[in-house]
Amino acid sequence: MSRLHKRRSGRTERATLENRRFSGKKPSAASRHGWTDPWSLVRGPLIVVLAVLLAGGSLRAGDWVQLGCNAARTSYTPDEPKGPYKVAWVFDGVWPDDRLLATVQVVTWKRKGFVGSKRGTMYAFSLTDGKGLWKYRTGRAILQTAAVADGLVVFGSMDGCVYAVGAEDGKLAWKTDLKARGITNAPLVYEGRIYIGTRGGLFACLNATDGSVIWKKSFESPIFQSPAAGDGKVFFSPEDMYMRCLDAATGKLLWRAERRMTIATLRGTHPVYHKGLLFTGNGSKYNSYKYRGGHAPAVKMPADMPPTDRKNTHMIDAKDFYPSYAKWLKDYDEDLRKRGASNALLIFDAKTGRQLPGLPMAGHQSMACPLQAPAVTADGLVVYPQRYADWSSHVGLFDPFSRELKAILVHQYYTNDDETQNFSVGGNTVFTVHTWEGHPGTMLAFDLTRKKRFELPEAYPRIMGEWKAAPPSNAASICGNLLFHVGGHRVAAWKGTSE
């Protein structure tokens, strides 16, 4: 067993003991040191959500219909499976004759799930028991997440075509040949239209009903990043690494970012839109070169930061954990300015394209791979990794407007720089998928209301090589009381066992 595996094993055993202590009646260490109840961060916005639901508004609990759940790609849904969790079922109708790419998310519609394969087949299965319902074969591989629009499952294929098949029966409704060199984009469903980019640099807007081309625009670089949308605009970056904003109705270029992202590729990524801000992961060189037996951020961490293995600090107030945060933020910005290094998570003004000061964090992927996309909670906090000066990588909840770190969700695993965490939010629970060394995904749930952390049981085998991608996994998707994730060339579903 390698030293890393020994450290992980020991860390997991300690975390198991900590979970037992955490569930006891005695107050946690975090409570004794000035806990701010995480529920207070989200109580008001969730009341607003419930009011909208009761009033019959458009925001509703329901299906995860596209990558990131919605057009803004925030990976948030009001549905909240509550832990503890158990494996509900595993859809294994693909393996061993076919393969699933770990970057693909399950999308859902009316108690059905859909996922595309490396050999070009779109599979449908029941969310009740995981049994296969139908499959539709295309000419080439399906390498990204599908979307559901008005009862049609829409997806791109490496044969350069966009397909729409009936969600109920799998019959072809329409097919549009974009004459592209393959498609690795997840289609975006927004205001009755489909937006998708191609490896040949073509970005197209299609009618969701019949697949007819409404407008298209060509770029000189391949488009690997899946688009996001909000306020009548569509956002994405081709492989020239300049973020763009197009008018969703006409395709007119509204702005191009002034600064190029310092990254090798955006394959498998997507931006996130939230309240006039646009977020995208960046290949940070900020902390990628200081190694001292582990990983150390380039900025000196505050001396008052407590050890990351402090017992019972599963969810804690950032001010208690990080009292000199304001000073460190100032030093961070000054260091970035002097050295010209890039932020790990880029923030743009979605109206003008102006790049805003980024969030101070240390998590990234090595070898210039892109960072995973953030998730956004009901009250607008950004969920993103927070790495410290050891192998530990935790989860930070940031206010993107004040740039204040609100809370730390303490992870129990050590991570390398070529390992990732991916996030989704169901109600008031944050779900993380940690992919590492052939493991298709270790999953944790942080229930902010009950102040508990749950580890989801393993559901599929470990297959080496599956994690060698960028990013090597995707966030879990959520529907009702179920949570879904692709790993080991299978689809697993977990069920929350608490009401």
Side-chain angles (χ1 to χ4, degrees):
M1 182 181 291
S2 69
R3 181 174 63 179
L4 175 57
H5 288 163
K6 287 180 180 178
R7 297 182 71 181
R8 280 203 178 107
S9 177
R11 179 74 171 178
T12 303
E13 291 173 3
R14 291 195 300 273
T16 301
L17 293 174
E18 291 171 12
N19 272 326
R20 292 173 182 170
R21 298 187 188 100
F22 186 67
S23 61
K25 296 182 179 179
K26 294 182 179 180
S28 67
S31 298
R32 294 193 299 271
H33 290 279
W35 178 294
T36 294
D37 185 356
W39 173 240
S40 66
L41 299 175
V42 295
R43 181 186 292 113
L46 287 184
I47 290 174
V48 173
V49 170
L50 291 174
V52 172
L53 295 178
L54 293 174
S58 60
L59 178 60
R60 67 176 184 88
D63 288 307
W64 193 281
V65 295
Q66 57 187 317
L67 178 66
C69 187
N70 47 57
R73 312 288 199 197
T74 59
S75 295
Y76 171 81
T77 174
D79 287 2
E80 185 175 8
K82 285 183 171 291
Y85 303 88
K86 66 179 182 179
V87 177
W89 47 258
V90 175
F91 171 65
D92 56 2
V94 174
W95 180 267
D97 298 323
D98 205 344
R99 305 287 188 271
L100 297 178
L101 194 65
T103 56
V104 172
Q105 273 189 346
V106 173
V107 295
T108 69
W109 185 80
K110 292 186 176 181
R111 303 303 298 168
K112 299 177 184 64
F114 310 94
V115 65
S117 77
K118 292 184 179 181
R119 294 188 178 177
T121 300
M122 179 58 61
Y123 292 89
F125 47 86
S126 168
L127 299 189
T128 303
D129 54 18
K131 293 183 179 180
L133 299 175
W134 55 257
K135 52 187 177 182
Y136 179 87
R137 184 69 185 268
T138 73
R140 297 284 297 278
I142 303 169
L143 299 180
Q144 250 294 1
T145 305
V148 183
D150 296 326
L152 297 178
V153 182
V154 182
F155 54 95
S157 170
M158 283 299 289
D159 62 7
C161 298
V162 181
Y163 294 81
V165 299
E168 291 287 357
D169 54 17
K171 293 183 179 179
L172 181 67
W174 53 261
K175 172 184 174 182
T176 300
D177 188 354
L178 295 179
K179 303 186 184 304
R181 293 178 298 187
I183 298 173
T184 55
N185 250 210
L188 169 70
V189 179
Y190 183 59
E191 296 182 344
R193 298 181 287 263
I194 305 295
Y195 300 86
I196 196 164
T198 75
R199 293 168 64 92
L202 178 71
F203 190 82
C205 172
L206 311 178
N207 185 304
T209 303
D210 58 16
S212 58
V213 177
I214 299 174
W215 56 259
K216 56 185 178 180
K217 196 173 186 67
S218 294
F219 296 87
E220 296 182 355
S221 303
I223 303 172
F224 293 157
Q225 185 180 56
S226 299
D231 288 339
K233 305 178 182 70
V234 178
F235 310 93
F236 65 94
S237 172
E239 287 295 279
D240 63 5
M241 304 306 159
Y242 288 99
M243 184 63 67
R244 264 77 164 191
C245 173
L246 306 183
D247 183 279
T250 65
K252 178 183 177 182
L253 179 65
L254 300 179
W255 54 258
R256 190 193 85 160
E258 293 183 358
R259 294 176 58 183
R260 183 180 184 274
M261 291 178 280
T262 56
I263 198 170
T265 181
L266 290 166
R267 178 169 62 92
T269 70
H270 60 85
V272 174
Y273 174 82
H274 174 67
K275 291 186 177 179
L277 297 180
L278 187 70
F279 306 93
T280 189
N282 187 37
S284 175
K285 53 191 177 182
Y286 184 71
N287 65 327
S288 60
Y289 48 81
K290 269 203 171 184
Y291 290 80
R292 297 173 184 170
H295 302 271
V299 169
K300 184 179 180 181
M301 307 301 285
D304 54 30
M305 188 181 72
T308 57
D309 61 352
R310 176 187 284 181
K311 297 176 182 178
N312 296 322
T313 54
H314 296 303
M315 290 177 286
I316 60 179
D317 187 284
K319 294 178 182 178
D320 186 47
F321 192 80
Y322 220 170
S324 60
Y325 176 80
K327 182 178 184 303
W328 183 59
L329 177 61
K330 181 179 179 181
D331 293 343
Y332 179 96
D333 290 342
E334 180 66 15
D335 193 65
L336 287 179
R337 186 187 65 80
K338 288 181 177 179
R339 293 170 44 192
S342 60
N343 288 291
L345 182 67
L346 299 181
I347 306 176
F348 297 91
D349 182 324
K351 185 177 181 179
T352 65
R354 182 171 63 92
Q355 187 172 327
L356 304 175
L359 298 180
M361 61 195 70
H364 78 292
Q365 284 182 255
S366 63
M367 301 175 68
C369 290
L371 285 173
Q372 53 272 29
V376 181
T377 66
D379 61 335
L381 296 181
V382 174
V383 184
Y384 213 66
Q386 185 75 5
R387 187 184 298 276
Y388 301 113
D390 60 8
W391 289 90
S392 301
S393 183
H394 307 304
V395 183
L397 300 182
F398 295 88
D399 184 330
F401 297 97
S402 67
R403 300 183 72 207
E404 183 179 359
L405 180 63
K406 292 290 187 179
I408 298 287
L409 310 181
V410 179
H411 209 290
Q412 70 181 44
Y413 298 101
Y414 293 107
T415 63
N416 283 329
D417 276 358
D418 53 4
E419 301 171 8
T420 62
Q421 295 183 72
N422 294 277
F423 309 105
S424 49
V425 182
N428 201 34
T429 299
V430 175
F431 296 93
T432 75
V433 179
H434 170 212
T435 308
W436 53 276
E437 295 182 355
H439 198 300
T442 298
M443 301 182 67
L444 294 177
F446 294 91
D447 187 322
L448 302 183
T449 305
R450 293 183 290 165
K451 307 170 188 174
K452 286 187 177 181
R453 183 186 67 194
F454 300 93
E455 181 173 355
L456 280 67
E458 290 191 17
Y460 28 52
R462 304 182 184 187
I463 299 177
M464 289 302 294
E466 188 175 31
W467 66 304
K468 294 293 186 181
S473 185
N474 215 325
S477 45
I478 304 165
C479 180
N481 196 34
L482 293 174
L483 189 76
F484 311 95
H485 190 252
V486 175
H489 304 297
R490 295 158 175 84
V491 176
W494 290 264
K495 181 180 180 180
T497 61
S498 296
E499 295 297 328

